[in-house]
Coordinates of all heavy atoms in Angstrom, one line a residue:
M27 N 32.3 1.4 56.7 CA 31.8 2.2 55.6 C 30.4 2.7 56.1 O 29.6 2.0 56.6 CB 31.6 1.3 54.4 CG 30.9 2.0 53.3 SD 30.6 0.8 52.0 CE 31.0 1.5 50.6
N28 N 30.2 4.0 55.9 CA 29.0 4.6 56.3 C 27.9 4.5 55.3 O 28.2 4.6 54.1 CB 29.3 6.1 56.6 CG 30.2 6.3 57.8 OD1 30.2 5.4 58.7 ND2 30.9 7.4 57.9
T29 N 26.7 4.4 55.7 CA 25.6 4.3 54.8 C 24.8 5.6 55.0 O 24.4 5.9 56.1 CB 24.7 3.1 55.1 OG1 25.5 1.9 55.0 CG2 23.5 3.0 54.1
T30 N 24.5 6.3 53.8 CA 23.7 7.5 53.9 C 22.3 7.2 53.7 O 21.9 6.1 53.2 CB 24.2 8.5 52.9 OG1 24.0 8.0 51.6 CG2 25.7 8.9 53.1
V31 N 21.4 8.2 53.9 CA 20.0 8.0 53.7 C 19.7 7.7 52.3 O 18.8 7.0 51.9 CB 19.2 9.2 54.2 CG1 17.8 9.1 53.9 CG2 19.5 9.4 55.7
D32 N 20.4 8.3 51.3 CA 20.2 8.2 49.9 C 20.5 6.7 49.5 O 19.9 6.3 48.5 CB 21.1 9.1 49.1 CG 20.7 10.6 49.3 OD1 19.5 10.8 49.6 OD2 21.5 11.4 49.1
Q33 N 21.3 6.0 50.2 CA 21.7 4.7 49.8 C 20.7 3.6 50.3 O 20.7 2.5 49.9 CB 23.1 4.3 50.2 CG 24.1 5.2 49.6 CD 25.5 4.9 50.2 OE1 25.6 4.5 51.3 NE2 26.5 5.2 49.4
L34 N 19.9 4.0 51.3 CA 18.9 3.0 51.8 C 17.7 2.9 50.9 O 17.3 3.8 50.2 CB 18.4 3.6 53.2 CG 19.4 3.7 54.3 CD1 18.8 4.3 55.5 CD2 19.9 2.3 54.6
P35 N 17.2 1.6 50.7 CA 16.1 1.4 49.9 C 14.8 2.1 50.4 O 14.6 2.2 51.6 CB 15.9 -0.1 49.9 CG 16.7 -0.6 51.0 CD 17.7 0.4 51.4
H36 N 14.1 2.7 49.5 CA 12.9 3.5 49.9 C 11.7 2.5 50.1 O 11.7 1.4 49.5 CB 12.5 4.5 48.9 CG 13.6 5.5 48.6 ND1 13.9 6.5 49.5 CD2 14.4 5.7 47.6 CE1 14.9 7.2 49.0 NE2 15.2 6.7 47.9
E37 N 10.8 2.8 51.0 CA 9.6 2.0 51.1 C 8.8 2.0 49.9 O 8.6 3.0 49.2 CB 8.7 2.5 52.3 CG 9.2 2.1 53.6 CD 8.1 2.5 54.7 OE1 6.9 2.2 54.4 OE2 8.6 3.0 55.7
G38 N 8.4 0.8 49.5 CA 7.6 0.7 48.3 C 8.4 0.6 47.0 O 7.9 0.5 45.9
S39 N 9.7 0.8 47.1 CA 10.5 0.8 45.9 C 10.8 -0.7 45.5 O 11.0 -1.5 46.4 CB 11.8 1.5 46.0 OG 12.7 0.9 46.9
T40 N 10.8 -1.0 44.3 CA 11.1 -2.3 43.8 C 12.3 -2.3 42.9 O 12.7 -1.2 42.4 CB 9.9 -3.0 43.1 OG1 9.7 -2.2 41.9 CG2 8.7 -3.0 44.0
T41 N 12.8 -3.4 42.6 CA 13.9 -3.5 41.6 C 13.5 -3.0 40.3 O 14.2 -2.3 39.6 CB 14.4 -5.0 41.5 OG1 14.8 -5.4 42.8 CG2 15.6 -5.1 40.6
A42 N 12.2 -3.3 39.9 CA 11.7 -2.8 38.6 C 11.7 -1.3 38.5 O 12.0 -0.7 37.5 CB 10.3 -3.4 38.3
N43 N 11.3 -0.7 39.6 CA 11.3 0.8 39.7 C 12.7 1.4 39.6 O 12.9 2.4 38.9 CB 10.6 1.3 40.9 CG 9.1 1.1 40.9 OD1 8.5 0.9 39.9 ND2 8.5 1.1 42.1
T44 N 13.6 0.7 40.2 CA 15.0 1.2 40.2 C 15.6 1.1 38.8 O 16.2 2.0 38.4 CB 15.8 0.4 41.2 OG1 15.2 0.4 42.5 CG2 17.2 0.9 41.3
I45 N 15.3 -0.1 38.2 CA 15.8 -0.2 36.8 C 15.2 0.7 35.9 O 15.8 1.4 35.0 CB 15.6 -1.7 36.3 CG1 16.5 -2.6 37.2 CG2 15.9 -1.8 34.9 CD1 16.2 -4.1 36.9
A46 N 13.9 0.9 36.0 CA 13.1 1.8 35.1 C 13.6 3.3 35.3 O 13.5 4.1 34.3 CB 11.7 1.7 35.3
S47 N 14.1 3.6 36.4 CA 14.5 5.0 36.6 C 16.0 5.2 36.4 O 16.5 6.3 36.5 CB 14.1 5.4 38.1 OG 14.9 4.7 39.0
S48 N 16.7 4.2 36.0 CA 18.1 4.3 35.7 C 18.3 5.1 34.4 O 17.5 5.1 33.5 CB 18.8 3.0 35.6 OG 18.5 2.4 34.4
P49 N 19.4 5.9 34.4 CA 19.7 6.7 33.2 C 19.8 5.9 31.9 O 19.4 6.3 30.8 CB 20.9 7.5 33.5 CG 21.0 7.5 35.0 CD 20.3 6.2 35.5
A50 N 20.4 4.7 32.1 CA 20.6 3.8 30.9 C 19.3 3.4 30.3 O 19.1 3.3 29.1 CB 21.5 2.6 31.3
H51 N 18.4 3.0 31.2 CA 17.0 2.6 30.8 C 16.2 3.7 30.1 O 15.6 3.5 29.1 CB 16.3 2.0 32.0 CG 15.0 1.3 31.6 ND1 14.9 0.1 31.0 CD2 13.7 1.7 31.7 CE1 13.7 -0.3 30.8 NE2 12.9 0.7 31.2
Q52 N 16.3 4.9 30.7 CA 15.7 6.0 30.1 C 16.2 6.4 28.7 O 15.5 6.7 27.8 CB 15.8 7.2 31.1 CG 15.0 7.0 32.3 CD 15.2 8.2 33.3 OE1 16.0 9.1 33.1 NE2 14.6 8.1 34.5
A53 N 17.6 6.3 28.6 CA 18.2 6.5 27.3 C 17.8 5.5 26.3 O 17.5 5.9 25.1 CB 19.7 6.5 27.5
Y54 N 17.6 4.3 26.7 CA 17.2 3.2 25.8 C 15.8 3.6 25.2 O 15.6 3.5 24.0 CB 17.1 1.9 26.5 CG 16.4 0.8 25.7 CD1 17.0 0.2 24.6 CD2 15.1 0.5 26.0 CE1 16.4 -0.8 23.9 CE2 14.4 -0.5 25.2 CZ 15.1 -1.1 24.2 OH 14.4 -2.1 23.5
W55 N 14.9 4.0 26.1 CA 13.5 4.3 25.6 C 13.5 5.5 24.8 O 12.7 5.6 23.8 CB 12.6 4.3 26.8 CG 12.2 3.0 27.3 CD1 12.6 2.3 28.4 CD2 11.4 2.0 26.6 NE1 12.1 1.1 28.4 CE2 11.3 0.8 27.3 CE3 10.7 2.1 25.4 CZ2 10.6 -0.3 26.9 CZ3 9.9 1.0 25.0 CH2 9.9 -0.2 25.8
I56 N 14.3 6.5 25.1 CA 14.3 7.7 24.3 C 14.8 7.4 22.9 O 14.3 7.9 21.9 CB 15.2 8.8 25.0 CG1 14.4 9.3 26.2 CG2 15.5 10.0 24.0 CD1 15.3 10.2 27.1
L57 N 15.9 6.7 22.8 CA 16.5 6.3 21.5 C 15.5 5.4 20.7 O 15.4 5.6 19.5 CB 17.8 5.6 21.7 CG 19.0 6.5 22.2 CD1 20.2 5.7 22.5 CD2 19.3 7.5 21.1
K58 N 14.9 4.5 21.4 CA 13.9 3.6 20.7 C 12.8 4.4 20.1 O 12.4 4.2 19.0 CB 13.4 2.5 21.6 CG 12.5 1.5 20.9 CD 12.0 0.4 21.8 CE 11.1 -0.5 21.1 NZ 10.6 -1.6 21.9
F59 N 12.3 5.3 20.9 CA 11.2 6.2 20.4 C 11.7 7.0 19.2 O 11.0 7.1 18.2 CB 10.7 7.1 21.6 CG 9.7 8.1 21.2 CD1 8.4 7.7 21.0 CD2 10.0 9.4 20.9 CE1 7.4 8.6 20.6 CE2 9.0 10.3 20.5 CZ 7.7 9.9 20.4
G60 N 12.9 7.6 19.4 CA 13.4 8.5 18.3 C 13.6 7.7 17.0 O 13.3 8.1 15.9
F61 N 14.2 6.5 17.1 CA 14.5 5.7 15.9 C 13.3 4.9 15.4 O 13.4 4.3 14.4 CB 15.7 4.7 16.2 CG 17.0 5.4 16.3 CD1 17.8 5.3 17.5 CD2 17.5 6.1 15.2 CE1 19.0 5.9 17.5 CE2 18.7 6.7 15.3 CZ 19.5 6.6 16.4
T62 N 12.2 5.0 16.1 CA 11.0 4.5 15.6 C 10.2 5.6 14.9 O 9.7 5.4 13.8 CB 10.1 3.9 16.7 OG1 10.8 2.8 17.3 CG2 8.8 3.4 16.2
V63 N 10.0 6.7 15.5 CA 9.2 7.8 15.0 C 9.8 8.5 13.8 O 9.2 8.8 12.8 CB 8.8 8.8 16.2 CG1 8.1 10.0 15.6 CG2 8.0 8.1 17.2
A64 N 11.1 8.8 13.9 CA 11.8 9.6 12.9 C 11.7 8.9 11.5 O 11.3 9.6 10.5 CB 13.2 9.9 13.2
P65 N 12.0 7.6 11.3 CA 11.9 7.1 10.0 C 10.5 6.9 9.5 O 10.2 7.1 8.3 CB 12.5 5.7 10.1 CG 13.1 5.5 11.5 CD 12.7 6.7 12.3
I66 N 9.5 6.7 10.4 CA 8.1 6.6 10.0 C 7.6 8.0 9.5 O 7.0 8.0 8.5 CB 7.3 6.1 11.2 CG1 7.6 4.6 11.4 CG2 5.8 6.2 10.8 CD1 6.9 4.0 12.7
L67 N 8.0 9.0 10.2 CA 7.6 10.4 9.8 C 8.2 10.8 8.5 O 7.6 11.3 7.6 CB 7.9 11.4 10.9 CG 7.0 11.4 12.1 CD1 7.4 12.4 13.1 CD2 5.5 11.5 11.8
A68 N 9.5 10.5 8.4 CA 10.2 10.8 7.1 C 9.7 10.0 6.0 O 9.5 10.5 4.8 CB 11.7 10.6 7.3
G69 N 9.4 8.7 6.2 CA 8.8 7.9 5.2 C 7.4 8.3 4.7 O 7.1 8.4 3.5
L70 N 6.6 8.7 5.7 CA 5.3 9.2 5.4 C 5.3 10.6 4.6 O 4.6 10.8 3.7 CB 4.4 9.4 6.6 CG 3.9 8.1 7.3 CD1 3.2 8.4 8.6 CD2 3.0 7.4 6.3
D71 N 6.3 11.4 5.0 CA 6.5 12.7 4.3 C 6.9 12.5 2.8 O 6.7 13.4 2.0 CB 7.5 13.5 5.0 CG 7.4 15.0 4.6 OD1 6.3 15.5 4.5 OD2 8.5 15.5 4.2
K72 N 7.5 11.4 2.5 CA 7.9 11.1 1.1 C 6.6 11.0 0.2 O 6.6 11.3 -0.9 CB 8.6 9.8 0.9 CG 9.9 9.7 1.7 CD 11.1 10.4 1.1 CE 12.4 10.1 1.7 NZ 12.6 10.3 3.1
F73 N 5.5 10.7 0.8 CA 4.2 10.6 0.1 C 3.4 11.9 0.1 O 2.8 12.3 -0.8 CB 3.3 9.5 0.7 CG 3.9 8.1 0.5 CD1 4.7 7.5 1.4 CD2 3.6 7.4 -0.6 CE1 5.2 6.2 1.2 CE2 4.0 6.2 -0.9 CZ 4.9 5.6 0.1
F74 N 3.5 12.7 1.2 CA 2.7 13.8 1.4 C 3.4 15.2 1.2 O 2.7 16.2 1.1 CB 2.0 13.8 2.8 CG 1.2 12.6 3.0 CD1 1.5 11.6 3.9 CD2 0.0 12.4 2.3 CE1 0.7 10.5 4.1 CE2 -0.8 11.3 2.4 CZ -0.4 10.3 3.4
H75 N 4.7 15.2 1.2 CA 5.5 16.4 1.1 C 5.1 17.6 2.0 O 5.0 18.7 1.6 CB 5.4 16.9 -0.4 CG 6.0 15.9 -1.4 ND1 7.4 15.7 -1.5 CD2 5.5 15.2 -2.3 CE1 7.6 14.8 -2.4 NE2 6.5 14.5 -2.9
L76 N 4.8 17.2 3.2 CA 4.4 18.3 4.2 C 5.6 19.0 4.8 O 5.6 20.2 5.0 CB 3.6 17.7 5.3 CG 2.3 17.1 4.9 CD1 1.6 16.4 6.1 CD2 1.4 18.1 4.3
L77 N 6.7 18.3 5.0 CA 7.9 18.9 5.6 C 8.9 19.4 4.5 O 9.4 20.5 4.6 CB 8.7 17.9 6.4 CG 7.9 17.3 7.6 CD1 8.7 16.2 8.3 CD2 7.6 18.4 8.6
V78 N 9.1 18.7 3.4 CA 10.0 19.1 2.4 C 9.6 18.3 1.1 O 9.0 17.2 1.1 CB 11.5 18.8 2.8 CG1 11.7 17.3 2.9 CG2 12.4 19.5 1.9
N79 N 10.0 18.9 0.0 CA 9.9 18.2 -1.3 C 11.1 17.2 -1.5 O 12.1 17.7 -1.9 CB 9.8 19.1 -2.5 CG 9.6 18.5 -3.8 OD1 9.4 17.2 -3.9 ND2 9.6 19.2 -4.9
W80 N 10.9 16.0 -1.2 CA 12.0 15.0 -1.1 C 12.6 14.7 -2.5 O 13.7 14.3 -2.6 CB 11.6 13.7 -0.5 CG 11.4 13.9 1.0 CD1 10.2 14.1 1.6 CD2 12.4 13.9 2.0 NE1 10.4 14.2 3.0 CE2 11.7 14.1 3.2 CE3 13.7 13.8 2.0 CZ2 12.4 14.2 4.5 CZ3 14.4 13.8 3.2 CH2 13.7 14.0 4.4
D81 N 11.8 15.0 -3.6 CA 12.3 14.7 -4.9 C 13.5 15.5 -5.3 O 14.4 15.1 -6.1 CB 11.2 14.9 -5.9 CG 10.0 14.0 -5.7 OD1 10.2 12.9 -5.1 OD2 8.9 14.3 -6.2
Q82 N 13.6 16.7 -4.7 CA 14.8 17.6 -5.0 C 16.1 17.0 -4.4 O 17.2 17.5 -4.8 CB 14.5 19.0 -4.5 CG 14.5 19.2 -3.0 CD 14.2 20.6 -2.6 OE1 14.0 21.4 -3.4 NE2 14.2 20.8 -1.3
Y83 N 16.0 16.1 -3.5 CA 17.2 15.6 -2.8 C 17.8 14.3 -3.6 O 18.8 13.8 -3.2 CB 17.0 15.2 -1.4 CG 16.8 16.5 -0.5 CD1 15.5 16.9 -0.1 CD2 17.9 17.3 -0.2 CE1 15.4 18.0 0.6 CE2 17.7 18.4 0.5 CZ 16.5 18.8 1.0 OH 16.3 19.9 1.7
L84 N 17.1 13.9 -4.6 CA 17.5 12.8 -5.4 C 18.6 13.2 -6.3 O 18.4 14.2 -7.1 CB 16.4 12.1 -6.2 CG 16.7 10.9 -7.0 CD1 17.0 9.7 -6.0 CD2 15.5 10.5 -7.9
P85 N 19.8 12.7 -6.2 CA 20.9 13.1 -7.1 C 20.5 12.9 -8.6 O 19.9 12.0 -9.0 CB 22.1 12.2 -6.8 CG 21.8 11.7 -5.4 CD 20.3 11.6 -5.3
G86 N 20.9 13.9 -9.4 CA 20.6 13.8 -10.8 C 21.2 12.6 -11.5 O 20.6 12.1 -12.5
V87 N 22.3 12.2 -11.1 CA 23.0 11.0 -11.7 C 22.1 9.8 -11.5 O 21.9 9.0 -12.4 CB 24.4 10.7 -11.0 CG1 25.0 9.4 -11.5 CG2 25.3 11.9 -11.3
V88 N 21.5 9.6 -10.3 CA 20.6 8.5 -10.0 C 19.4 8.6 -10.9 O 18.9 7.6 -11.4 CB 20.3 8.5 -8.5 CG1 19.2 7.4 -8.2 CG2 21.5 8.2 -7.7
A89 N 18.8 9.8 -11.0 CA 17.6 10.0 -11.8 C 17.8 9.6 -13.3 O 16.9 9.1 -13.9 CB 17.1 11.4 -11.6
T90 N 19.0 10.0 -13.8 CA 19.3 9.7 -15.2 C 19.6 8.2 -15.4 O 19.3 7.7 -16.5 CB 20.4 10.6 -15.7 OG1 21.6 10.4 -14.9 CG2 20.0 12.0 -15.7
I91 N 20.3 7.6 -14.5 CA 20.7 6.2 -14.7 C 19.5 5.2 -14.5 O 19.4 4.2 -15.2 CB 21.8 5.8 -13.7 CG1 23.1 6.5 -14.1 CG2 22.1 4.3 -13.7 CD1 24.3 6.3 -13.2
S92 N 18.7 5.5 -13.5 CA 17.6 4.6 -13.1 C 16.5 4.6 -14.2 O 16.1 5.7 -14.7 CB 17.0 5.1 -11.8 OG 15.9 4.3 -11.5
P93 N 16.0 3.4 -14.5 CA 14.8 3.3 -15.4 C 13.5 3.7 -14.6 O 12.5 3.9 -15.3 CB 14.8 1.9 -15.8 CG 15.4 1.1 -14.7 CD 16.5 2.1 -14.1
I94 N 13.6 3.8 -13.3 CA 12.4 4.2 -12.5 C 12.4 5.7 -12.4 O 13.4 6.3 -12.1 CB 12.4 3.5 -11.2 CG1 12.5 2.0 -11.3 CG2 11.2 3.9 -10.3 CD1 12.8 1.2 -10.1
P95 N 11.2 6.4 -12.5 CA 11.2 7.8 -12.3 C 11.6 8.2 -10.9 O 11.4 7.4 -10.0 CB 9.7 8.2 -12.5 CG 9.1 7.0 -13.3 CD 9.9 5.8 -12.9
G96 N 12.2 9.4 -10.8 CA 12.7 9.9 -9.5 C 11.7 9.9 -8.4 O 12.0 9.5 -7.3
H97 N 10.5 10.3 -8.7 CA 9.4 10.4 -7.6 C 9.1 9.0 -7.1 O 8.9 8.8 -5.9 CB 8.2 11.1 -8.2 CG 7.1 11.2 -7.1 ND1 7.2 12.0 -6.1 CD2 5.9 10.5 -7.0 CE1 6.1 11.9 -5.3 NE2 5.3 11.0 -5.9
T98 N 9.1 8.0 -8.1 CA 8.8 6.6 -7.7 C 9.9 6.1 -6.8 O 9.7 5.4 -5.8 CB 8.6 5.8 -8.9 OG1 7.6 6.4 -9.7 CG2 8.2 4.4 -8.5
L99 N 11.2 6.4 -7.1 CA 12.3 6.0 -6.3 C 12.1 6.5 -4.9 O 12.4 5.8 -3.9 CB 13.6 6.5 -6.9 CG 14.1 5.7 -8.1 CD1 15.4 6.4 -8.6 CD2 14.5 4.3 -7.7
M100 N 11.7 7.8 -4.7 CA 11.6 8.4 -3.4 C 10.4 7.7 -2.6 O 10.5 7.6 -1.4 CB 11.4 9.9 -3.5 CG 12.6 10.6 -4.0 SD 14.1 10.2 -3.2 CE 13.9 11.0 -1.6
L101 N 9.4 7.3 -3.4 CA 8.3 6.6 -2.7 C 8.7 5.2 -2.2 O 8.4 4.8 -1.1 CB 7.1 6.4 -3.7 CG 6.4 7.7 -4.1 CD1 5.3 7.4 -5.1 CD2 5.8 8.4 -2.9
I102 N 9.6 4.6 -3.0 CA 10.2 3.3 -2.5 C 11.0 3.5 -1.3 O 10.9 2.7 -0.3 CB 11.0 2.6 -3.7 CG1 10.1 2.2 -4.8 CG2 11.8 1.4 -3.2 CD1 10.8 1.8 -6.1
V103 N 11.8 4.5 -1.3 CA 12.6 4.8 -0.1 C 11.7 5.1 1.1 O 12.0 4.7 2.2 CB 13.6 6.0 -0.4 CG1 14.2 6.5 0.9 CG2 14.6 5.6 -1.4
G104 N 10.6 5.8 0.9 CA 9.6 6.1 1.9 C 9.1 4.8 2.6 O 9.0 4.7 3.8
V105 N 8.7 3.8 1.7 CA 8.2 2.6 2.2 C 9.3 1.8 3.0 O 9.0 1.3 4.1 CB 7.7 1.7 1.0 CG1 7.4 0.3 1.5 CG2 6.5 2.3 0.4
I106 N 10.5 1.9 2.5 CA 11.6 1.2 3.3 C 11.8 1.9 4.6 O 12.0 1.2 5.7 CB 12.9 1.3 2.5 CG1 12.8 0.4 1.2 CG2 14.1 0.8 3.3 CD1 13.9 0.5 0.2
E107 N 11.7 3.2 4.7 CA 11.8 3.9 6.0 C 10.7 3.6 6.9 O 10.9 3.4 8.1 CB 11.9 5.4 5.7 CG 13.2 5.9 5.1 CD 13.2 7.3 4.9 OE1 12.2 8.0 4.7 OE2 14.3 7.9 4.8
I108 N 9.5 3.5 6.4 CA 8.4 3.1 7.3 C 8.5 1.7 7.8 O 8.3 1.5 9.0 CB 7.0 3.3 6.5 CG1 6.8 4.7 6.2 CG2 5.9 2.7 7.3 CD1 5.7 5.0 5.2
V109 N 8.9 0.8 7.0 CA 9.2 -0.6 7.4 C 10.3 -0.6 8.5 O 10.2 -1.3 9.5 CB 9.5 -1.5 6.2 CG1 10.0 -2.9 6.7 CG2 8.3 -1.7 5.4
A110 N 11.3 0.2 8.3 CA 12.4 0.2 9.2 C 12.0 0.7 10.6 O 12.3 0.2 11.6 CB 13.6 1.0 8.7
G111 N 11.2 1.8 10.6 CA 10.7 2.3 11.8 C 9.8 1.4 12.6 O 9.9 1.2 13.8
I112 N 8.9 0.7 11.9 CA 8.1 -0.3 12.5 C 8.9 -1.5 13.0 O 8.7 -2.0 14.1 CB 7.0 -0.8 11.5 CG1 6.0 0.4 11.2 CG2 6.2 -2.0 12.1 CD1 5.0 0.1 10.1
G113 N 9.9 -1.9 12.2 CA 10.8 -3.0 12.6 C 11.5 -2.6 13.9 O 11.7 -3.5 14.8
V114 N 12.0 -1.4 14.0 CA 12.7 -1.0 15.2 C 11.8 -1.0 16.4 O 12.2 -1.4 17.5 CB 13.4 0.4 15.1 CG1 13.8 1.0 16.4 CG2 14.5 0.3 14.1
A115 N 10.5 -0.6 16.2 CA 9.5 -0.7 17.3 C 9.2 -2.1 17.8 O 9.1 -2.3 19.0 CB 8.2 0.0 16.9
L116 N 9.1 -3.0 16.8 CA 8.8 -4.4 17.2 C 9.9 -5.3 17.5 O 9.8 -6.1 18.4 CB 7.9 -5.0 16.0 CG 6.6 -4.3 15.7 CD1 6.0 -4.9 14.5 CD2 5.7 -4.2 16.9
K117 N 11.0 -5.2 16.7 CA 12.2 -6.1 16.9 C 13.4 -5.2 16.9 O 14.2 -5.3 15.9 CB 12.2 -7.1 15.8 CG 11.1 -8.1 15.8 CD 11.2 -9.1 16.9 CE 10.1 -10.2 16.7 NZ 10.2 -11.1 17.7
P118 N 13.7 -4.5 17.9 CA 14.9 -3.6 17.9 C 16.2 -4.2 17.8 O 17.1 -3.7 17.1 CB 14.8 -2.8 19.2 CG 13.9 -3.6 20.1 CD 13.0 -4.4 19.2
R119 N 16.4 -5.4 18.3 CA 17.7 -6.1 18.2 C 18.0 -6.5 16.8 O 19.1 -6.6 16.4 CB 17.7 -7.4 19.1 CG 17.8 -7.0 20.5 CD 18.1 -8.2 21.4 NE 18.2 -7.8 22.8 CZ 18.6 -8.6 23.7 NH1 19.0 -9.8 23.4 NH2 18.7 -8.1 24.9
I120 N 17.0 -6.8 16.0 CA 17.2 -7.2 14.6 C 17.3 -5.9 13.7 O 18.3 -5.8 13.0 CB 16.1 -8.1 14.1 CG1 16.1 -9.4 14.9 CG2 16.2 -8.3 12.6 CD1 14.9 -10.2 14.7
F121 N 16.3 -5.0 13.8 CA 16.3 -3.9 12.9 C 17.2 -2.8 13.2 O 17.7 -2.1 12.3 CB 14.8 -3.4 12.8 CG 14.0 -4.2 11.9 CD1 13.3 -5.3 12.4 CD2 13.8 -3.9 10.6 CE1 12.5 -6.1 11.6 CE2 13.0 -4.7 9.7 CZ 12.4 -5.8 10.3
A122 N 17.5 -2.6 14.5 CA 18.4 -1.5 14.9 C 19.9 -1.8 14.6 O 20.7 -1.0 14.6 CB 18.2 -1.1 16.3
T123 N 20.2 -3.1 14.5 CA 21.6 -3.5 14.2 C 21.8 -3.9 12.8 O 22.8 -3.6 12.2 CB 22.0 -4.6 15.2 OG1 21.2 -5.7 15.0 CG2 22.0 -4.1 16.6
S124 N 20.9 -4.7 12.2 CA 21.1 -5.3 10.9 C 20.8 -4.3 9.8 O 21.5 -4.2 8.8 CB 20.3 -6.5 10.7 OG 20.6 -7.4 11.7
L125 N 19.7 -3.6 9.9 CA 19.3 -2.7 8.8 C 20.3 -1.6 8.5 O 20.6 -1.4 7.3 CB 17.9 -2.1 9.2 CG 17.2 -1.5 8.0 CD1 16.8 -2.5 7.0 CD2 15.9 -0.8 8.5
P126 N 20.8 -0.9 9.5 CA 21.8 0.1 9.1 C 23.1 -0.4 8.4 O 23.6 0.2 7.5 CB 22.2 0.7 10.5 CG 21.1 0.5 11.4 CD 20.5 -0.8 10.9
R127 N 23.5 -1.7 8.7 CA 24.6 -2.3 8.0 C 24.3 -2.5 6.6 O 25.1 -2.3 5.7 CB 25.0 -3.6 8.7 CG 25.9 -3.4 9.8 CD 26.4 -4.7 10.3 NE 25.8 -4.9 11.7 CZ 25.5 -6.0 12.2 NH1 25.7 -7.1 11.6 NH2 25.0 -6.0 13.4
G128 N 23.0 -3.0 6.3 CA 22.6 -3.3 4.9 C 22.3 -2.0 4.1 O 22.4 -2.0 2.9
W129 N 22.0 -0.9 4.8 CA 21.6 0.3 4.1 C 22.8 1.1 3.6 O 22.7 1.8 2.7 CB 20.8 1.2 5.1 CG 20.1 2.4 4.5 CD1 20.5 3.7 4.6 CD2 19.0 2.3 3.6 NE1 19.6 4.4 3.9 CE2 18.7 3.7 3.3 CE3 18.2 1.3 3.1 CZ2 17.7 4.0 2.4 CZ3 17.2 1.7 2.3 CH2 16.9 3.0 2.0
R130 N 24.0 0.8 4.2 CA 25.2 1.5 3.7 C 25.5 1.2 2.3 O 25.7 0.8 1.5 CB 26.4 1.2 4.6 CG 26.3 1.9 5.9 CD 27.5 1.7 6.7 NE 27.2 1.0 7.9 CZ 28.1 0.5 8.7 NH1 29.4 0.6 8.4 NH2 27.8 -0.1 9.8

């Protein structure tokens, strides 16, 4: 079997550098960043309405059945989203697998 120059270890390269540069490792960090930042931003926007007025997305049936006002329900959802984003950042094995199952 022939060994090419690309297959030889580079000077100064370590196993940690090789793992960190692998596509799977890069994908992990991209997904972790996305699943951390997106819920936190969406949760914060429930309070500030900078991106969209989230109250309009609450179904009318939920608003009429619930004893809690619609805006307050959206604020509660915002808090849950912020907690989920922070949880994914700190404990991804717990929050990234358990929380979506419970949210359904």
Side-chain angles (χ1 to χ4, degrees):
M27 177 188 225
N28 294 336
T29 303
T30 64
V31 175
D32 293 334
Q33 294 172 338
L34 295 174
H36 301 289
E37 276 189 48
S39 71
T40 63
T41 305
N43 289 340
T44 305
I45 292 171
S47 66
S48 75
H51 188 75
Q52 292 174 1
Y54 169 79
W55 281 106
I56 291 169
L57 288 170
K58 184 176 179 181
F59 178 78
F61 286 120
T62 298
V63 173
I66 292 173
L67 288 179
L70 288 173
D71 193 50
K72 301 281 191 305
F73 291 93
F74 300 113
H75 296 290
L76 296 175
L77 300 174
V78 69
N79 181 7
W80 290 97
D81 297 339
Q82 70 184 0
Y83 291 104
L84 185 68
V87 175
V88 174
T90 57
I91 292 174
S92 175
I94 301 172
H97 182 70
T98 306
L99 283 173
M100 294 309 287
L101 293 177
I102 292 169
V103 170
V105 169
I106 292 170
E107 287 177 338
I108 293 169
V109 168
I112 293 170
V114 169
L116 300 177
K117 298 283 187 181
R119 287 190 179 192
I120 295 170
F121 282 88
T123 58
S124 303
L125 195 64
R127 274 188 248 149
W129 192 252
R130 289 188 239 170

